Amino acid sequence: MNNTFKTNRFAMVLKWLGPFIGLILVVAIFSLMPEVQDRFLRIYNLKSVATQSVIVALGALGMTLIIISGGIDLSAASNIALSSVIVAFAINAGIHPLAAVLLGIMAGGLVGLINGALITSLRLVPFIVTLGMLGIARGVAKWMAGNQKIDTPLTWVNELMAKSPQGLLLAPGVWLMIGLAFLMAALLRYTVFGKHIFAIGSNEATARLCGIRIGRTKLLIYTIGGLFCGLSGVMQFSRLTVGDPTVAVGLELDIIAAVVIGGGSLSGGMGSILGSMIGVFIMAFLRNGSTMMGWPNYIQEIIIGAIIVFAVALDRIRHK
Amino acid sequence: MTAAPPSDLLNMAGISKSFGPTIALQDVDLELKKGEIHALLGENGAGKSTLVKILSGALKADRGRMTLASRPFAPSGPLDSRIHGISMIYQELNLAPHLTVTENIMLGREIHLRGILQRKDMRRKVEKALAFLNHPEIAPDVPVRKLSISARQIIEIARALVDEAVILIMDEPTSRLSREDSVQLFQIMRRLKAQGVGIIYISHFLEEVREVADSYTVLRDGQRVGTGRMSSMSLGGIIRMMVGQDVKELFPKIPHKPEGPALSLKNFRGKNMFSPLNLELQQGEILGVGGLVGSGRTEMLRALFGLDRLEEGRITVFDGEKAGDHCRDRIRQGMGYLSEDRQSEGLALSLSIRDNLTMSYYEPYVRWGFLRLGRQKRDADALCRRMNVKARDSDQRVSSLSGGNQQKVALARLLHQKADILLLDEPTRGIDVLSKAQIYDWVGRLAAEGKTVVFVSSYFPELIGVCDRIAVFFRGDLVSLRPAEEWTMETLTTAATVGT
């Protein structure tokens, strides 16, 4: 009896730890490397990893909803670049920085709304629509910026991603990311909207005959995805202190990879915010650790590529 | 132990197989002779699929021996089994929809000369096979997605013919076919039999099994509980063996009295229906709807529920309230729909039982915009108990349930949304006898509570056994509507196949 109690407890611990194992492994490996162990687990380094994760993490929060609903958003990175350009543009136009920030977020939301509207009204697959939007949003960003970086005067917006803010422990952007992650996790788990996202991703036909408004729900999902890209674009601008239309090329794949490493299924119906966040941090720690080790960029790319395949394979086995 | 007699085509002896702690098969024997149709019977989960998977090489037995034409046979995998002449036709058709008939039939068996396809030879072979199957009208160059389901079944069998199969395993081949197509399939099976092919036939349609099979083996809980000649065994005897107990009555009569208007259709015409129909349904009434696949029954049901557009006409519920436009509104008005295809439409297989149950009606659990998950779980667990769903708890995924239990979950959803008008499309398709009896009982009790049930089925005995009135569809029209007592199997079949 005592024994079963123990194994039950062990199984419980394993179930709770399950998603974290990859992250713990990555952190443990670098902590044991003699070359970097004295620097890797330092508060300063952890802070900078957290700050570096913000942009991908915000994108991943929206992408998680989209992927659970059985969709995909390839335009995420272009959307981020566009909104960073819009923020810079607005600040230079003399608008109050807060209004500029809101404008950037809204622009992202608008791109998402257009994605959603095209997907639901034209009945096109999300892959095609957002592939098109990847080009369109990037093009518009370059057009607006006259194909170059937009320099702006420094404002409080640039403090959002400051490495050591006063009295806050972590950058405001990091706090924002943490708060929004909790909010999205609650949205998915405790609201009807969240349940409907899972239902649509698991089986759209079932969702339809259960009376779920599929078009409206999808529109909302892609708009939320776009809003997060907009916010991510604000953070991008904050970090670079310029509006750069060529920034974040290919970042959509990092975002998608984070969701997938975290257990999101590209065929829909599966995924979690916690998982996606762990995915983001696995990749961030790998980048950070590899850079500290002095490994060249291509080694990082190979490792992350391998991790994606490995993590998904592992997840398959875990869910059997 | 015993040497296989020479006339035995296949001899499986002492086959055992476990999956972890669960024993799927225990010491099962099976003999199949040349030119014999052998029915493999049993409830869902009795071990039929495991047994034929071992034969087809998809699984390996833990213990036991197989001999094929008196030679020891131990397939290393599905391909090896195919090379030895064992062909399997699955319940879910395994065809590539975009490829042509020829390409599908010859898949993995292409005739080529140093890698160059010999299209003419392949075409000739395919035409020969289709002619043998009495279906020369199927064009070899048409993509399979353009064919009907019964034609696709023919393609699957043609594939087995091209393989020169000596043993054909058919898993529920008629569950998607109309009666007419089933009869044609039986003719084909008899022709194959005359050629010396041995057929292992798995089906839940016991009347059909009696019609076509020469011998039978019944499995229960992974053990063989009976085998013998079909002609020497009664239907009741087979059911007793399958269930291990007497099913008191397959169609329990629960007294109910139609009273008060529930649903009224005026000049109602849905997609693919030709002439409009008028129909009045009462509370506490069970209306059976029969007809062949594609006769318009499903189309009527879908238009009634608001899934397809109504071409013309008017639907009113209860006291003359007009039915809403979208199925969402009709759910609120008390309608509930059970899809004929629970795998691809009825259920979200990757989600939990509880989420599937409450998917159409979350309102009771919302407070301040948030869900009260504890209440949802409590209600879902209670529903599972009420419907006898065999599951650990309602957190279990629907995909891990057996067919019968999945169907109960889909039905329980209608209970949960408090449907008063239940539109059930083929509610007993592909599920075991015991679950069927439970569903018949459930439908009867609903009617006794004053609910209205529309029961669509291709299986006529259940229509006669369960319904108050039966309507028959033929080529998009309702051709006949009469009280159940006035119908017989013969008149139903005639109405469905000839239209009078």
Side-chain angles (χ1 to χ4, degrees):
Chain A
M1 224 170 86
N2 209 350
N3 208 358
T4 54
F5 178 70
K6 260 185 191 163
T7 50
N8 272 346
R9 198 179 224 181
F10 181 70
M12 278 250 299
V13 169
L14 206 67
K15 196 182 157 202
W16 268 98
L17 273 183
F20 291 97
I21 285 175
L23 185 59
I24 293 170
L25 218 61
V26 169
V27 172
I29 286 171
F30 282 113
S31 311
L32 294 177
M33 293 278 188
E35 296 94 324
V36 296
Q37 70 185 155
D38 53 330
R39 287 174 292 154
F40 188 72
L41 272 185
R42 288 283 172 273
I43 298 287
Y44 177 78
N45 188 46
L46 294 182
K47 273 189 193 177
S48 81
V49 169
T51 314
Q52 281 160 14
S53 314
V54 170
I55 290 163
V56 175
L58 288 174
L61 289 178
M63 189 70 81
T64 305
L65 303 199
I66 293 174
I67 284 180
I68 291 174
S69 80
I72 191 104
D73 182 5
L74 297 177
S75 67
S78 299
N79 198 355
I80 290 171
L82 176 62
S83 103
S84 85
V85 167
I86 285 177
V87 176
F89 205 80
I91 288 177
N92 281 350
I95 301 175
H96 187 274
L98 184 65
V101 165
L102 288 178
L103 209 60
I105 298 172
M106 301 290 272
L110 183 67
V111 170
L113 181 71
I114 295 170
N115 278 336
L118 290 174
I119 288 162
T120 51
S121 63
L122 298 181
R123 294 182 185 256
L124 290 173
V125 278
F127 190 97
I128 302 296
V129 170
T130 59
L131 182 63
M133 189 55 83
L134 178 149
I136 295 169
R138 179 74 65 181
V140 171
K142 287 180 181 170
W143 183 20
M144 281 185 70
N147 219 1
Q148 57 195 352
K149 293 188 175 82
I150 303 181
D151 290 307
T152 59
L154 281 181
T155 59
W156 59 264
V157 177
N158 301 106
E159 298 295 311
L160 287 175
M161 293 283 272
K163 279 213 178 87
S164 20
Q166 283 147 358
L168 262 177
L169 195 68
L170 292 170
V174 177
W175 287 115
L176 196 62
M177 168 188 86
I178 293 170
L180 287 172
F182 276 105
L183 192 72
M184 282 297 118
L187 179 94
L188 273 178
R189 192 170 157 74
Y190 296 108
T191 68
V192 175
F193 175 58
K195 291 286 180 189
H196 285 183
I197 296 174
F198 276 97
I200 290 173
S202 179
N203 191 341
E204 196 171 318
T206 312
R208 179 170 295 115
L209 70 80
C210 282
I212 295 171
R213 295 190 185 93
I214 297 191
R216 196 185 290 191
T217 309
K218 278 192 180 171
L219 215 57
L220 196 53
I221 292 169
Y222 282 92
T223 306
I224 292 175
L227 287 171
F228 272 107
C229 289
L231 188 58
S232 182
V234 170
M235 297 302 161
Q236 183 69 262
F237 165 80
S238 164
R239 192 166 129 196
L240 297 179
T241 68
V242 293
D244 182 356
T246 60
V247 82
V249 172
L251 198 75
E252 69 276 356
L253 297 182
D254 276 11
I255 296 172
I256 293 167
V259 176
V260 168
I261 288 174
S265 160
L266 287 183
S267 48
M270 268 197 278
S272 71
I273 294 293
L274 177 64
S276 300
M277 288 298 107
I278 288 170
V280 168
F281 279 99
I282 286 179
M283 294 205 296
F285 273 114
L286 269 174
R287 289 240 156 82
N288 173 267
S290 309
T291 312
M292 280 188 164
M293 291 291 291
W295 291 341
N297 217 10
Y298 53 82
I299 294 286
Q300 296 179 27
E301 283 168 8
I302 292 171
I303 292 176
I304 288 176
I307 291 270
I308 293 173
V309 177
F310 181 70
V312 175
L314 203 72
D315 203 55
R316 273 276 171 87
I317 295 165
R318 218 157 58 91
H319 275 110
K320 259 207 174 144
Chain B
M1 286 178 284
T2 47
S7 66
D8 272 11
L9 177 58
L10 170 77
N11 196 307
M12 300 174 87
I15 304 289
S16 297
K17 173 80 190 170
S18 311
F19 298 101
T22 43
I23 298 165
L25 288 174
Q26 201 178 350
D27 264 338
V28 171
D29 301 342
L30 184 104
E31 300 86 32
L32 179 70
K33 295 186 174 54
K34 272 185 90 167
E36 179 188 52
I37 301 179
H38 190 104
L40 184 57
L41 305 170
E43 293 203 70
N44 290 342
K48 294 167 299 185
S49 307
T50 312
L51 189 64
V52 293
K53 273 185 188 157
I54 287 169
L55 179 57
S56 70
L59 287 175
K60 269 201 166 36
D62 298 339
R63 272 183 292 117
R65 301 176 293 114
M66 291 192 272
T67 51
L68 186 64
S70 308
R71 269 191 225 114
F73 174 59
S76 58
L79 185 65
D80 189 30
S81 179
R82 235 176 105 181
I83 289 167
H84 281 85
I86 295 173
S87 259
M88 175 129 183
I89 295 170
Y90 291 93
Q91 199 171 344
E92 268 74 46
L93 299 175
N94 278 301
L95 296 171
H98 296 92
L99 302 188
T100 65
V101 169
T102 306
E103 284 163 341
N104 265 290
I105 293 177
M106 301 302 291
L107 206 59
R109 281 278 182 278
E110 291 86 355
I111 304 171
H112 60 88
L113 198 68
R114 291 185 204 92
I116 311 287
L117 288 177
Q118 304 295 300
R119 288 184 185 279
K120 264 191 202 145
D121 291 349
M122 296 195 337
R123 208 188 140 105
R124 209 171 302 132
K125 214 166 172 180
V126 166
E127 277 171 348
K128 207 177 123 200
L130 291 173
F132 176 82
L133 296 173
N134 273 342
H135 278 278
E137 82 285 357
I138 297 176
D141 298 326
V142 169
V144 160
R145 77 186 128 91
K146 295 194 174 164
L147 297 179
S148 69
I149 288 189
S150 56
R152 289 183 202 190
Q153 199 111 43
I154 301 296
I155 306 299
E156 285 258 3
I157 300 171
R159 197 188 256 176
L161 273 186
V162 168
D163 275 354
E164 282 159 15
V166 290
I167 295 179
L168 190 59
I169 306 167
M170 303 175 99
D171 189 358
E172 290 274 3
T174 63
S175 66
R176 288 162 160 274
L177 295 186
S178 67
R179 178 71 198 151
E180 191 186 22
D181 290 328
S182 306
V183 169
Q184 272 203 20
L185 182 69
F186 298 152
Q187 281 168 5
I188 291 166
M189 285 168 67
R190 292 197 186 97
R191 298 188 65 181
L192 289 169
K193 179 176 131 174
Q195 296 233 319
V197 177
I199 300 176
I200 295 179
Y201 182 70
I202 300 177
S203 176
H204 284 301
F205 298 96
L206 296 179
E207 286 89 350
E208 290 181 358
V209 168
R210 271 189 70 81
E211 191 179 324
V212 74
D214 304 306
S215 53
Y216 67 88
T217 291
V218 178
L219 297 182
R220 187 174 76 230
D221 299 330
Q223 286 175 302
R224 185 169 87 170
V225 291
T227 187
R229 308 292 307 165
M230 203 76 212
S231 50
S232 63
M233 196 64 210
S234 72
L235 211 64
I238 288 176
I239 294 177
R240 253 194 308 283
M241 274 193 264
M242 285 168 63
V243 180
Q245 67 191 58
D246 280 317
V247 177
K248 279 170 239 84
E249 212 178 345
L250 196 51
F251 304 116
K253 273 284 167 228
I254 294 165
H256 56 272
K257 202 168 108 221
E259 200 171 27
L263 190 63
S264 150
L265 313 182
K266 292 215 170 59
N267 287 322
F268 172 95
R269 194 167 67 84
K271 209 173 73 184
N272 296 333
M273 288 173 62
F274 289 109
S275 36
L277 66 90
N278 292 293
L279 191 64
E280 300 281 335
L281 281 178
Q282 309 247 291
Q283 294 172 35
E285 180 179 12
I286 308 172
L287 174 76
V289 179
L292 305 178
V293 173
S295 62
R297 323 167 301 184
T298 298
E299 284 76 4
M300 181 198 76
L301 223 52
R302 293 181 75 89
L304 197 49
F305 187 58
L307 280 170
D308 290 342
R309 209 160 52 85
L310 197 59
E311 299 290 331
E312 59 175 302
R314 189 180 157 84
I315 308 169
T316 51
V317 289
F318 302 112
D319 300 320
E321 189 189 345
K322 189 180 173 300
D325 292 332
H326 191 258
C327 64
R328 180 182 179 81
D329 310 318
R330 297 193 191 175
I331 288 173
R332 301 293 170 272
Q333 290 175 318
M335 284 197 199
Y337 171 74
L338 180 86
S339 170
E340 61 174 332
D341 192 342
R342 64 173 171 268
Q343 301 269 341
S344 64
E345 187 178 44
L347 292 167
L349 293 177
S350 65
L351 300 186
S352 64
I353 296 174
R354 60 196 269 197
D355 283 350
N356 268 285
L357 281 178
T358 56
M359 198 181 279
S360 56
Y361 189 49
Y362 270 116
E363 282 80 346
Y365 311 113
V366 183
R367 193 176 52 181
W368 318 113
F370 284 91
L371 285 170
R372 292 193 276 187
L373 295 178
R375 286 193 172 209
Q376 185 210 13
K377 181 163 170 55
R378 200 190 58 203
D379 283 7
D381 283 336
L383 267 174
C384 282
R385 276 194 301 276
R386 198 168 141 199
M387 291 293 286
N388 285 320
V389 178
K390 271 187 206 143
R392 250 180 296 113
D393 63 359
S394 61
D395 284 329
Q396 201 175 327
R397 274 201 209 183
V398 169
S399 56
S400 66
L401 300 178
S402 70
N405 283 309
Q406 287 184 356
Q407 191 71 325
K408 285 182 204 164
V409 171
L411 287 167
R413 180 194 294 147
L414 306 186
L415 275 192
H416 177 263
Q417 76 196 37
K418 300 193 169 61
D420 293 315
I421 301 168
L422 295 98
L423 313 172
L424 312 179
D425 200 352
E426 299 276 9
T428 62
R429 171 184 283 169
I431 63 177
D432 58 274
V433 178
L434 210 56
S435 301
K436 273 187 188 177
Q438 284 170 353
I439 287 173
Y440 299 142
D441 180 60
W442 180 75
V443 167
R445 274 188 287 144
L446 286 176
E449 287 169 25
K451 298 190 191 309
T452 309
V453 181
V454 180
F455 194 113
V456 171
S457 174
S458 306
Y459 183 54
F460 296 150
E462 67 181 12
L463 285 181
I464 295 176
V466 172
C467 303
D468 300 314
R469 287 192 291 166
I470 299 173
V472 176
F473 273 76
F474 179 73
R475 300 212 170 140
D477 284 327
L478 197 164
V479 289
S480 185
L481 171 63
R482 282 187 263 162
E485 310 86 73
E486 293 177 21
W487 290 101
T488 63
M489 282 295 288
E490 289 71 35
T491 54
L492 268 176
T493 311
T494 317
T497 52
V498 192
T500 50

